[in-house]
Amino acid sequence: MAGSKFRPDRGLTARMVMTMFLLVLVYVAFIVGLVLAGLDIWLVIVLVAAFALFSYFSSDKIAMFSMGAKEVTPQQAPELHALVDRLCAMADMPKPRVGIADTDVPNAFATGHNEKSAVICVTTGLMRRLEGPELEAVLAHELSHVAHRDVTVMTIAGFLGIVAGFLTQAGLRFAMFAGPAGGRGNNNGPAPAVVALLVVLVSAGAWALSFLLTRALSRYRELSADRAAAYLTGRPSMLGSALSKITGDMARIPTRDLRQVEPFNAFFFAPAFAKKGFSMNQLIATHPPVEQRLAQLSDISRQLGRGA
């Protein structure tokens, strides 16, 4: 976070380092497991490397395309750009690209593998619901993800899950079409269907481990971004107000719209659930409870001597 005036968070830095270290171990075990399951080592290396490079360098484009978001210029969205300009000046950080997603789901997200490729995106639903100071607070939250570089870590961390998920589905389909016997392997080796099932088991295990690691990091980074935004703007009550409005209005959004954006929950300012009253176990939740976030903001408000 060199050059940024966002409040540093050593706890977040330590968690990112630990998450990346553990994910490296999972990556290595994943590759070894696939080789032991019967796949050619060079095929595995090429496959993993190809997915890694594609995911790393295209993360911002994939996220924007999937959300139906478009980058906007200062002429197209002057008020939004003015808020981002002001916050970047306050934080002393490079200005990321700015995007808008045309959906009524009130939310925002940051994506990109580094500061140069970073994009801060808000939805039209968010801009319609929030007042200027509230929107500024949400933008500060998203900018802190870029400044803390946890967006980059989440991009890398999410890659293993993509590869493992792809291999799991491919292995299951192959095993189903191969039939019960699955044929005979060459040179008395395992049958292709057996290899496919072993690949599924290895991939599913790697996916589960990467899933839990990224979820744990995701919950902490949201609290960290709330703190950083609150201290930068000096108005934690505005962030709390925005969070309350967004989570309160989420139940009024059509289920179809929520389901379309649910895959992005780990990157959103607030999670979007397709079920009313839906609650996730804290082990797999992408965000900490709203009550915990609001309590933290209230504590910061008292520290700053401002009313919540």
Side-chain angles (χ1 to χ4, degrees):
M1 202 169 56
S4 169
K5 292 183 180 177
F6 273 107
R7 193 180 182 92
D9 192 325
R10 294 180 180 176
L12 176 62
T13 301
R15 283 169 171 79
M16 288 193 297
V17 172
M18 180 57 69
T19 298
M20 291 306 298
F21 173 74
L22 293 175
L23 281 173
V24 167
L25 296 182
V26 174
Y27 275 49
V28 173
F30 178 54
I31 293 173
V32 171
L34 290 178
V35 173
L36 292 177
L39 294 186
D40 180 77
I41 185 171
W42 293 111
L43 173 64
V44 173
I45 292 175
V46 170
L47 180 65
V48 171
F51 267 100
L53 292 173
F54 178 76
S55 177
Y56 183 75
F57 288 106
S58 303
S59 59
D60 56 321
K61 299 178 182 65
I62 295 172
M64 294 286 283
F65 176 78
S66 300
M67 281 293 297
K70 295 182 179 180
E71 185 177 349
V72 293
T73 65
Q75 291 72 33
Q76 293 171 318
E79 295 181 1
L80 180 60
H81 269 273
L83 289 175
V84 176
D85 285 334
R86 179 173 180 272
L87 289 168
C88 288
M90 292 170 60
D92 191 21
M93 64 179 289
K95 181 183 178 181
R97 291 176 292 150
V98 179
I100 296 178
D102 186 15
T103 172
D104 195 44
V105 178
N107 236 310
F109 65 92
T111 184
H113 60 272
N114 57 32
E115 287 188 344
K116 291 183 178 180
S117 68
V119 183
I120 302 296
C121 184
V122 298
T123 66
T124 52
L126 183 75
M127 293 190 292
R128 281 197 296 269
R129 288 171 173 83
L130 300 187
E131 302 294 332
E134 295 170 332
L135 180 58
E136 182 182 61
V138 173
L139 290 171
H141 172 104
E142 297 304 329
L143 283 171
S144 76
H145 284 315
V146 177
H148 284 140
R149 291 185 169 82
D150 56 88
V151 166
T152 302
V153 174
M154 287 294 290
T155 297
I156 297 173
F159 144 72
L160 178 60
I162 295 174
V163 177
F166 169 79
L167 289 177
T168 299
Q169 293 182 19
L172 284 173
R173 290 193 179 97
F174 181 84
M176 289 173 61
F177 285 112
R184 294 182 179 275
N186 296 326
N187 300 323
N188 296 321
V194 174
V195 173
L197 289 175
L198 290 174
V199 170
V200 168
L201 292 175
V202 172
S203 300
W207 178 86
L209 288 173
S210 64
F211 180 88
L212 294 176
L213 288 172
T214 53
R215 286 301 188 269
L217 177 60
S218 179
R219 291 191 296 273
Y220 187 88
R221 82 183 191 117
E222 294 303 328
L223 290 173
S224 176
D226 283 348
R227 289 193 295 270
Y231 282 116
L232 180 71
T233 62
R235 305 177 73 179
S237 61
M238 290 297 98
L239 188 60
S241 176
L243 182 59
S244 297
K245 280 187 179 181
I246 293 171
T247 54
D249 281 358
M250 206 66 76
R252 301 185 180 94
I253 304 299
T255 300
R256 181 187 62 183
D257 294 343
L258 290 175
R259 283 178 177 163
Q260 289 178 347
V261 300
E262 272 187 6
F264 295 93
N265 271 342
F267 292 91
F268 277 155
F269 170 70
F273 295 130
K275 281 186 178 180
K276 294 182 179 180
F278 182 81
S279 62
M280 297 183 71
N281 184 286
Q282 283 304 295
L283 187 63
I284 60 174
T286 58
H287 291 63
V290 174
E291 295 78 12
Q292 182 181 0
R293 296 176 70 178
L294 293 176
Q296 175 181 251
L297 292 170
S298 294
D299 290 340
I300 295 174
S301 185
R302 284 192 291 271
Q303 293 174 17
L304 297 176
R306 295 176 181 270

Short mmCIF file of all heavy atoms in Angstrom, two decimals, residues 137-200:
data_model
loop_
_atom_site.label_atom_id
_atom_site.label_comp_id
_atom_site.label_asym_id
_atom_site.label_seq_id
_atom_site.Cartn_x
_atom_site.Cartn_y
_atom_site.Cartn_z
N ALA A 137 -18.72 7.18 0.44
CA ALA A 137 -18.22 6.22 1.43
C ALA A 137 -18.05 4.84 0.83
O ALA A 137 -17.07 4.14 1.10
CB ALA A 137 -19.18 6.17 2.63
N VAL A 138 -19.01 4.43 -0.01
CA VAL A 138 -18.92 3.12 -0.67
C VAL A 138 -17.74 3.09 -1.64
O VAL A 138 -16.99 2.11 -1.71
CB VAL A 138 -20.23 2.78 -1.40
CG1 VAL A 138 -20.07 1.50 -2.22
CG2 VAL A 138 -21.37 2.61 -0.40
N LEU A 139 -17.55 4.18 -2.37
CA LEU A 139 -16.42 4.26 -3.29
C LEU A 139 -15.09 4.20 -2.54
O LEU A 139 -14.13 3.58 -3.00
CB LEU A 139 -16.50 5.55 -4.11
CG LEU A 139 -17.62 5.61 -5.15
CD1 LEU A 139 -17.73 7.02 -5.72
CD2 LEU A 139 -17.39 4.61 -6.27
N ALA A 140 -15.03 4.84 -1.37
CA ALA A 140 -13.83 4.79 -0.55
C ALA A 140 -13.55 3.36 -0.10
O ALA A 140 -12.39 2.91 -0.07
CB ALA A 140 -13.97 5.70 0.67
N HIS A 141 -14.60 2.63 0.24
CA HIS A 141 -14.47 1.22 0.61
C HIS A 141 -13.84 0.43 -0.55
O HIS A 141 -12.90 -0.35 -0.34
CB HIS A 141 -15.85 0.67 0.96
CG HIS A 141 -15.91 -0.81 1.17
ND1 HIS A 141 -16.00 -1.39 2.41
CD2 HIS A 141 -15.90 -1.84 0.27
CE1 HIS A 141 -16.03 -2.71 2.28
NE2 HIS A 141 -15.98 -3.01 1.00
N GLU A 142 -14.36 0.62 -1.75
CA GLU A 142 -13.84 -0.12 -2.91
C GLU A 142 -12.42 0.31 -3.27
O GLU A 142 -11.59 -0.52 -3.65
CB GLU A 142 -14.78 0.06 -4.11
CG GLU A 142 -16.18 -0.50 -3.91
CD GLU A 142 -16.18 -1.97 -3.55
OE1 GLU A 142 -15.28 -2.70 -3.99
OE2 GLU A 142 -17.10 -2.40 -2.81
N LEU A 143 -12.13 1.59 -3.17
CA LEU A 143 -10.77 2.07 -3.46
C LEU A 143 -9.76 1.49 -2.48
O LEU A 143 -8.60 1.24 -2.84
CB LEU A 143 -10.73 3.60 -3.40
CG LEU A 143 -11.32 4.33 -4.60
CD1 LEU A 143 -11.41 5.83 -4.32
CD2 LEU A 143 -10.48 4.08 -5.85
N SER A 144 -10.19 1.26 -1.24
CA SER A 144 -9.26 0.69 -0.26
C SER A 144 -8.87 -0.74 -0.64
O SER A 144 -7.76 -1.17 -0.35
CB SER A 144 -9.89 0.70 1.14
OG SER A 144 -10.86 -0.32 1.30
N HIS A 145 -9.78 -1.47 -1.30
CA HIS A 145 -9.43 -2.81 -1.78
C HIS A 145 -8.28 -2.73 -2.78
O HIS A 145 -7.38 -3.59 -2.77
CB HIS A 145 -10.64 -3.46 -2.46
CG HIS A 145 -11.68 -3.97 -1.52
ND1 HIS A 145 -11.38 -4.70 -0.39
CD2 HIS A 145 -13.04 -3.86 -1.55
CE1 HIS A 145 -12.51 -5.02 0.23
NE2 HIS A 145 -13.52 -4.53 -0.45
N VAL A 146 -8.31 -1.72 -3.63
CA VAL A 146 -7.24 -1.54 -4.62
C VAL A 146 -5.95 -1.12 -3.90
O VAL A 146 -4.87 -1.65 -4.19
CB VAL A 146 -7.64 -0.48 -5.67
CG1 VAL A 146 -6.49 -0.25 -6.65
CG2 VAL A 146 -8.90 -0.90 -6.40
N ALA A 147 -6.06 -0.18 -2.97
CA ALA A 147 -4.88 0.32 -2.26
C ALA A 147 -4.25 -0.77 -1.40
O ALA A 147 -3.02 -0.88 -1.32
CB ALA A 147 -5.27 1.51 -1.39
N HIS A 148 -5.07 -1.59 -0.76
CA HIS A 148 -4.56 -2.68 0.08
C HIS A 148 -4.02 -3.85 -0.75
O HIS A 148 -3.39 -4.75 -0.21
CB HIS A 148 -5.66 -3.21 1.00
CG HIS A 148 -5.97 -2.33 2.16
ND1 HIS A 148 -7.26 -2.12 2.60
CD2 HIS A 148 -5.16 -1.61 2.97
CE1 HIS A 148 -7.23 -1.30 3.65
NE2 HIS A 148 -5.98 -0.98 3.88
N ARG A 149 -4.36 -3.84 -2.04
CA ARG A 149 -3.96 -4.90 -2.98
C ARG A 149 -4.64 -6.24 -2.70
O ARG A 149 -4.19 -7.29 -3.16
CB ARG A 149 -2.44 -5.09 -3.00
CG ARG A 149 -1.70 -3.91 -3.62
CD ARG A 149 -0.21 -4.18 -3.74
NE ARG A 149 0.45 -3.19 -4.57
CZ ARG A 149 0.85 -1.99 -4.16
NH1 ARG A 149 0.63 -1.63 -2.94
NH2 ARG A 149 1.44 -1.14 -4.97
N ASP A 150 -5.70 -6.23 -1.92
CA ASP A 150 -6.38 -7.50 -1.67
C ASP A 150 -7.21 -7.92 -2.88
O ASP A 150 -7.56 -9.09 -3.02
CB ASP A 150 -7.24 -7.44 -0.40
CG ASP A 150 -8.26 -6.32 -0.42
OD1 ASP A 150 -9.36 -6.54 -0.92
OD2 ASP A 150 -7.94 -5.22 0.08
N VAL A 151 -7.51 -6.98 -3.80
CA VAL A 151 -8.17 -7.34 -5.05
C VAL A 151 -7.28 -8.28 -5.85
O VAL A 151 -7.73 -9.28 -6.42
CB VAL A 151 -8.51 -6.08 -5.88
CG1 VAL A 151 -8.88 -6.47 -7.29
CG2 VAL A 151 -9.67 -5.33 -5.25
N THR A 152 -5.99 -7.96 -5.89
CA THR A 152 -5.03 -8.80 -6.62
C THR A 152 -4.96 -10.19 -6.00
O THR A 152 -4.98 -11.20 -6.71
CB THR A 152 -3.63 -8.16 -6.60
OG1 THR A 152 -3.71 -6.85 -7.17
CG2 THR A 152 -2.64 -9.01 -7.38
N VAL A 153 -4.88 -10.24 -4.68
CA VAL A 153 -4.79 -11.53 -3.98
C VAL A 153 -6.05 -12.36 -4.23
O VAL A 153 -5.97 -13.57 -4.47
CB VAL A 153 -4.57 -11.32 -2.47
CG1 VAL A 153 -4.62 -12.65 -1.73
CG2 VAL A 153 -3.23 -10.64 -2.23
N MET A 154 -7.23 -11.72 -4.18
CA MET A 154 -8.47 -12.45 -4.41
C MET A 154 -8.54 -12.98 -5.85
O MET A 154 -9.08 -14.06 -6.10
CB MET A 154 -9.67 -11.55 -4.11
CG MET A 154 -9.88 -11.29 -2.63
SD MET A 154 -10.34 -12.78 -1.70
CE MET A 154 -11.99 -13.07 -2.34
N THR A 155 -7.99 -12.21 -6.79
CA THR A 155 -7.97 -12.66 -8.19
C THR A 155 -7.13 -13.92 -8.34
O THR A 155 -7.54 -14.89 -8.98
CB THR A 155 -7.41 -11.55 -9.09
OG1 THR A 155 -8.27 -10.41 -9.03
CG2 THR A 155 -7.31 -12.04 -10.54
N ILE A 156 -5.94 -13.90 -7.72
CA ILE A 156 -5.06 -15.06 -7.79
C ILE A 156 -5.66 -16.24 -7.03
O ILE A 156 -5.64 -17.38 -7.50
CB ILE A 156 -3.67 -14.70 -7.21
CG1 ILE A 156 -3.01 -13.61 -8.07
CG2 ILE A 156 -2.78 -15.94 -7.16
CD1 ILE A 156 -1.73 -13.08 -7.48
N ALA A 157 -6.21 -15.95 -5.86
CA ALA A 157 -6.76 -17.02 -5.03
C ALA A 157 -7.95 -17.70 -5.70
O ALA A 157 -8.15 -18.91 -5.56
CB ALA A 157 -7.18 -16.44 -3.67
N GLY A 158 -8.73 -16.92 -6.43
CA GLY A 158 -9.90 -17.49 -7.07
C GLY A 158 -9.58 -18.37 -8.27
O GLY A 158 -10.41 -19.18 -8.70
N PHE A 159 -8.36 -18.26 -8.78
CA PHE A 159 -7.98 -19.02 -9.97
C PHE A 159 -8.02 -20.53 -9.74
O PHE A 159 -8.52 -21.28 -10.57
CB PHE A 159 -6.57 -18.58 -10.43
CG PHE A 159 -5.74 -19.70 -10.98
CD1 PHE A 159 -6.03 -20.25 -12.21
CD2 PHE A 159 -4.68 -20.22 -10.25
CE1 PHE A 159 -5.26 -21.28 -12.72
CE2 PHE A 159 -3.92 -21.26 -10.75
CZ PHE A 159 -4.21 -21.79 -11.99
N LEU A 160 -7.48 -21.00 -8.60
CA LEU A 160 -7.45 -22.43 -8.34
C LEU A 160 -8.85 -23.01 -8.31
O LEU A 160 -9.10 -24.11 -8.82
CB LEU A 160 -6.73 -22.73 -7.02
CG LEU A 160 -6.67 -24.21 -6.63
CD1 LEU A 160 -5.93 -25.00 -7.69
CD2 LEU A 160 -6.00 -24.38 -5.27
N GLY A 161 -9.77 -22.27 -7.73
CA GLY A 161 -11.16 -22.74 -7.70
C GLY A 161 -11.74 -22.90 -9.09
O GLY A 161 -12.50 -23.84 -9.36
N ILE A 162 -11.36 -21.99 -10.01
CA ILE A 162 -11.84 -22.08 -11.39
C ILE A 162 -11.31 -23.34 -12.07
O ILE A 162 -12.05 -24.08 -12.71
CB ILE A 162 -11.42 -20.82 -12.18
CG1 ILE A 162 -12.11 -19.58 -11.61
CG2 ILE A 162 -11.77 -20.99 -13.67
CD1 ILE A 162 -11.65 -18.28 -12.23
N VAL A 163 -10.00 -23.57 -11.92
CA VAL A 163 -9.39 -24.74 -12.54
C VAL A 163 -9.97 -26.03 -11.95
O VAL A 163 -10.34 -26.96 -12.67
CB VAL A 163 -7.86 -24.74 -12.35
CG1 VAL A 163 -7.24 -26.01 -12.92
CG2 VAL A 163 -7.24 -23.52 -13.02
N ALA A 164 -10.04 -26.08 -10.62
CA ALA A 164 -10.55 -27.28 -9.95
C ALA A 164 -12.00 -27.54 -10.32
O ALA A 164 -12.40 -28.68 -10.55
CB ALA A 164 -10.39 -27.14 -8.43
N GLY A 165 -12.80 -26.47 -10.39
CA GLY A 165 -14.19 -26.64 -10.77
C GLY A 165 -14.34 -27.15 -12.19
O GLY A 165 -15.17 -28.02 -12.47
N PHE A 166 -13.52 -26.62 -13.09
CA PHE A 166 -13.55 -27.07 -14.49
C PHE A 166 -13.19 -28.55 -14.60
O PHE A 166 -13.86 -29.32 -15.29
CB PHE A 166 -12.57 -26.22 -15.32
CG PHE A 166 -12.33 -26.76 -16.70
CD1 PHE A 166 -13.26 -26.55 -17.71
CD2 PHE A 166 -11.18 -27.47 -17.00
CE1 PHE A 166 -13.05 -27.04 -18.99
CE2 PHE A 166 -10.96 -27.98 -18.27
CZ PHE A 166 -11.90 -27.75 -19.27
N LEU A 167 -12.11 -28.97 -13.92
CA LEU A 167 -11.67 -30.36 -14.00
C LEU A 167 -12.69 -31.30 -13.33
O LEU A 167 -12.87 -32.44 -13.77
CB LEU A 167 -10.30 -30.52 -13.34
CG LEU A 167 -9.13 -29.91 -14.12
CD1 LEU A 167 -7.84 -30.07 -13.34
CD2 LEU A 167 -9.00 -30.55 -15.49
N THR A 168 -13.33 -30.83 -12.27
CA THR A 168 -14.34 -31.65 -11.60
C THR A 168 -15.50 -31.94 -12.55
O THR A 168 -15.94 -33.09 -12.70
CB THR A 168 -14.87 -30.95 -10.34
OG1 THR A 168 -13.79 -30.75 -9.42
CG2 THR A 168 -15.94 -31.79 -9.66
N GLN A 169 -16.00 -30.89 -13.22
CA GLN A 169 -17.11 -31.08 -14.15
C GLN A 169 -16.69 -31.94 -15.35
O GLN A 169 -17.44 -32.83 -15.78
CB GLN A 169 -17.61 -29.72 -14.63
CG GLN A 169 -18.26 -28.89 -13.54
CD GLN A 169 -18.78 -27.57 -14.08
OE1 GLN A 169 -18.97 -27.40 -15.28
NE2 GLN A 169 -19.00 -26.63 -13.19
N ALA A 170 -15.48 -31.68 -15.88
CA ALA A 170 -15.01 -32.46 -17.02
C ALA A 170 -14.83 -33.93 -16.65
O ALA A 170 -15.20 -34.84 -17.42
CB ALA A 170 -13.69 -31.89 -17.54
N GLY A 171 -14.27 -34.18 -15.46
CA GLY A 171 -14.06 -35.55 -15.02
C GLY A 171 -15.37 -36.29 -14.81
O GLY A 171 -15.49 -37.47 -15.17
N LEU A 172 -16.35 -35.63 -14.23
CA LEU A 172 -17.65 -36.26 -14.01
C LEU A 172 -18.33 -36.61 -15.33
O LEU A 172 -18.90 -37.70 -15.48
CB LEU A 172 -18.54 -35.33 -13.19
CG LEU A 172 -18.24 -35.23 -11.69
CD1 LEU A 172 -19.09 -34.16 -11.04
CD2 LEU A 172 -18.50 -36.58 -11.01
N ARG A 173 -18.27 -35.69 -16.29
CA ARG A 173 -18.89 -35.96 -17.59
C ARG A 173 -18.21 -37.13 -18.29
O ARG A 173 -18.86 -38.00 -18.88
CB ARG A 173 -18.83 -34.71 -18.47
CG ARG A 173 -19.75 -33.58 -18.01
CD ARG A 173 -19.89 -32.53 -19.09
NE ARG A 173 -20.79 -31.46 -18.66
CZ ARG A 173 -20.39 -30.32 -18.15
NH1 ARG A 173 -19.10 -30.07 -17.98
NH2 ARG A 173 -21.27 -29.39 -17.80
N PHE A 174 -16.88 -37.15 -18.22
CA PHE A 174 -16.14 -38.23 -18.88
C PHE A 174 -16.47 -39.58 -18.24
O PHE A 174 -16.67 -40.58 -18.92
CB PHE A 174 -14.64 -37.97 -18.81
CG PHE A 174 -13.83 -39.03 -19.50
CD1 PHE A 174 -13.60 -38.97 -20.87
CD2 PHE A 174 -13.30 -40.11 -18.79
CE1 PHE A 174 -12.86 -39.95 -21.52
CE2 PHE A 174 -12.56 -41.09 -19.42
CZ PHE A 174 -12.34 -41.01 -20.80
N ALA A 175 -16.51 -39.59 -16.90
CA ALA A 175 -16.80 -40.83 -16.18
C ALA A 175 -18.20 -41.35 -16.51
O ALA A 175 -18.43 -42.55 -16.66
CB ALA A 175 -16.65 -40.62 -14.68
N MET A 176 -19.17 -40.42 -16.67
CA MET A 176 -20.54 -40.81 -16.99
C MET A 176 -20.63 -41.41 -18.38
O MET A 176 -21.28 -42.44 -18.60
CB MET A 176 -21.46 -39.60 -16.87
CG MET A 176 -21.68 -39.12 -15.44
SD MET A 176 -22.61 -37.58 -15.38
CE MET A 176 -24.15 -38.07 -16.17
N PHE A 177 -19.95 -40.78 -19.36
CA PHE A 177 -20.03 -41.27 -20.74
C PHE A 177 -19.16 -42.50 -20.97
O PHE A 177 -19.37 -43.25 -21.92
CB PHE A 177 -19.62 -40.16 -21.71
CG PHE A 177 -20.68 -39.11 -21.88
CD1 PHE A 177 -20.46 -37.82 -21.42
CD2 PHE A 177 -21.88 -39.40 -22.49
CE1 PHE A 177 -21.44 -36.84 -21.55
CE2 PHE A 177 -22.87 -38.44 -22.64
CZ PHE A 177 -22.65 -37.16 -22.18
N ALA A 178 -18.16 -42.70 -20.10
CA ALA A 178 -17.27 -43.85 -20.27
C ALA A 178 -17.95 -45.15 -19.90
O ALA A 178 -17.51 -46.23 -20.28
CB ALA A 178 -15.99 -43.67 -19.45
N GLY A 179 -19.01 -45.06 -19.11
CA GLY A 179 -19.73 -46.27 -18.73
C GLY A 179 -19.19 -46.86 -17.44
O GLY A 179 -18.16 -46.43 -16.92
N PRO A 180 -19.88 -47.86 -16.87
CA PRO A 180 -19.48 -48.47 -15.60
C PRO A 180 -18.07 -49.03 -15.63
O PRO A 180 -17.29 -48.84 -14.71
CB PRO A 180 -20.52 -49.58 -15.39
CG PRO A 180 -21.69 -49.18 -16.24
CD PRO A 180 -21.11 -48.48 -17.42
N ALA A 181 -17.74 -49.73 -16.70
CA ALA A 181 -16.41 -50.33 -16.75
C ALA A 181 -15.36 -49.30 -17.10
O ALA A 181 -14.23 -49.34 -16.61
CB ALA A 181 -16.38 -51.46 -17.78
N GLY A 182 -15.76 -48.36 -17.98
CA GLY A 182 -14.84 -47.30 -18.34
C GLY A 182 -13.72 -47.77 -19.26
O GLY A 182 -12.74 -47.08 -19.47
N GLY A 183 -13.84 -48.97 -19.81
CA GLY A 183 -12.78 -49.46 -20.68
C GLY A 183 -11.58 -49.93 -19.90
O GLY A 183 -11.55 -49.89 -18.69
N ARG A 184 -10.58 -50.36 -20.61
CA ARG A 184 -9.36 -50.84 -19.96
C ARG A 184 -8.22 -49.88 -20.26
O ARG A 184 -8.09 -49.36 -21.35
CB ARG A 184 -8.99 -52.25 -20.46
CG ARG A 184 -10.00 -53.30 -20.07
CD ARG A 184 -9.55 -54.66 -20.55
NE ARG A 184 -10.50 -55.69 -20.15
CZ ARG A 184 -10.49 -56.29 -18.97
NH1 ARG A 184 -9.58 -55.94 -18.07
NH2 ARG A 184 -11.37 -57.23 -18.69
N GLY A 185 -7.39 -49.67 -19.28
CA GLY A 185 -6.25 -48.79 -19.47
C GLY A 185 -5.16 -49.50 -20.25
O GLY A 185 -5.13 -50.72 -20.36
N ASN A 186 -4.28 -48.73 -20.86
CA ASN A 186 -3.15 -49.29 -21.58
C ASN A 186 -2.11 -49.83 -20.62
O ASN A 186 -1.89 -49.28 -19.55
CB ASN A 186 -2.52 -48.22 -22.48
CG ASN A 186 -3.49 -47.76 -23.56
OD1 ASN A 186 -4.29 -48.54 -24.06
ND2 ASN A 186 -3.41 -46.47 -23.93
N ASN A 187 -1.44 -50.95 -21.04
CA ASN A 187 -0.37 -51.53 -20.23
C ASN A 187 -0.84 -51.85 -18.81
O ASN A 187 -0.14 -51.59 -17.82
CB ASN A 187 0.83 -50.57 -20.17
CG ASN A 187 1.40 -50.28 -21.55
OD1 ASN A 187 1.43 -51.16 -22.40
ND2 ASN A 187 1.80 -49.03 -21.78
N ASN A 188 -2.04 -52.37 -18.73
CA ASN A 188 -2.61 -52.77 -17.44
C ASN A 188 -2.75 -51.59 -16.49
O ASN A 188 -2.79 -51.75 -15.27
CB ASN A 188 -1.73 -53.84 -16.78
CG ASN A 188 -1.70 -55.13 -17.58
OD1 ASN A 188 -2.73 -55.54 -18.14
ND2 ASN A 188 -0.53 -55.75 -17.67
N GLY A 189 -2.80 -50.38 -17.02
CA GLY A 189 -3.00 -49.19 -16.19
C GLY A 189 -4.46 -49.04 -15.83
O GLY A 189 -5.32 -49.82 -16.26
N PRO A 190 -4.79 -48.04 -15.06
CA PRO A 190 -6.18 -47.84 -14.65
C PRO A 190 -7.07 -47.46 -15.82
O PRO A 190 -6.60 -46.84 -16.80
CB PRO A 190 -6.08 -46.68 -13.64
CG PRO A 190 -4.83 -45.97 -14.02
CD PRO A 190 -3.89 -47.04 -14.49
N ALA A 191 -8.29 -47.86 -15.75
CA ALA A 191 -9.25 -47.53 -16.80
C ALA A 191 -9.45 -46.02 -16.86
O ALA A 191 -9.35 -45.33 -15.85
CB ALA A 191 -10.58 -48.22 -16.52
N PRO A 192 -9.78 -45.48 -18.06
CA PRO A 192 -9.99 -44.04 -18.19
C PRO A 192 -11.04 -43.49 -17.23
O PRO A 192 -10.89 -42.40 -16.69
CB PRO A 192 -10.44 -43.89 -19.65
CG PRO A 192 -9.80 -45.04 -20.35
CD PRO A 192 -9.83 -46.16 -19.37
N ALA A 193 -12.11 -44.24 -17.01
CA ALA A 193 -13.15 -43.78 -16.09
C ALA A 193 -12.62 -43.68 -14.67
O ALA A 193 -13.00 -42.77 -13.92
CB ALA A 193 -14.35 -44.73 -16.13
N VAL A 194 -11.74 -44.62 -14.29
CA VAL A 194 -11.15 -44.58 -12.95
C VAL A 194 -10.26 -43.34 -12.81
O VAL A 194 -10.29 -42.64 -11.79
CB VAL A 194 -10.33 -45.86 -12.67
CG1 VAL A 194 -9.60 -45.73 -11.35
CG2 VAL A 194 -11.25 -47.07 -12.67
N VAL A 195 -9.47 -43.06 -13.86
CA VAL A 195 -8.62 -41.86 -13.85
C VAL A 195 -9.49 -40.61 -13.72
O VAL A 195 -9.17 -39.69 -12.96
CB VAL A 195 -7.76 -41.79 -15.13
CG1 VAL A 195 -7.01 -40.46 -15.21
CG2 VAL A 195 -6.79 -42.96 -15.18
N ALA A 196 -10.59 -40.59 -14.47
CA ALA A 196 -11.48 -39.43 -14.43
C ALA A 196 -12.04 -39.22 -13.02
O ALA A 196 -12.12 -38.10 -12.52
CB ALA A 196 -12.62 -39.61 -15.43
N LEU A 197 -12.44 -40.32 -12.37
CA LEU A 197 -12.98 -40.20 -11.01
C LEU A 197 -11.92 -39.75 -10.02
O LEU A 197 -12.20 -38.97 -9.09
CB LEU A 197 -13.59 -41.53 -10.59
CG LEU A 197 -14.90 -41.93 -11.29
CD1 LEU A 197 -15.33 -43.32 -10.87
CD2 LEU A 197 -15.99 -40.92 -10.96
N LEU A 198 -10.69 -40.22 -10.19
CA LEU A 198 -9.59 -39.77 -9.33
C LEU A 198 -9.33 -38.28 -9.52
O LEU A 198 -9.08 -37.55 -8.56
CB LEU A 198 -8.32 -40.57 -9.63
CG LEU A 198 -8.33 -42.04 -9.19
CD1 LEU A 198 -7.06 -42.75 -9.67
CD2 LEU A 198 -8.44 -42.15 -7.66
N VAL A 199 -9.39 -37.83 -10.77
CA VAL A 199 -9.23 -36.40 -11.06
C VAL A 199 -10.33 -35.59 -10.38
O VAL A 199 -10.09 -34.52 -9.82
CB VAL A 199 -9.24 -36.14 -12.58
CG1 VAL A 199 -9.33 -34.64 -12.89
CG2 VAL A 199 -8.00 -36.72 -13.22
N VAL A 200 -11.55 -36.12 -10.42
CA VAL A 200 -12.67 -35.44 -9.76
C VAL A 200 -12.42 -35.30 -8.26
O VAL A 200 -12.63 -34.23 -7.68
CB VAL A 200 -13.99 -36.21 -10.01
CG1 VAL A 200 -15.10 -35.69 -9.10
CG2 VAL A 200 -14.41 -36.09 -11.46
#
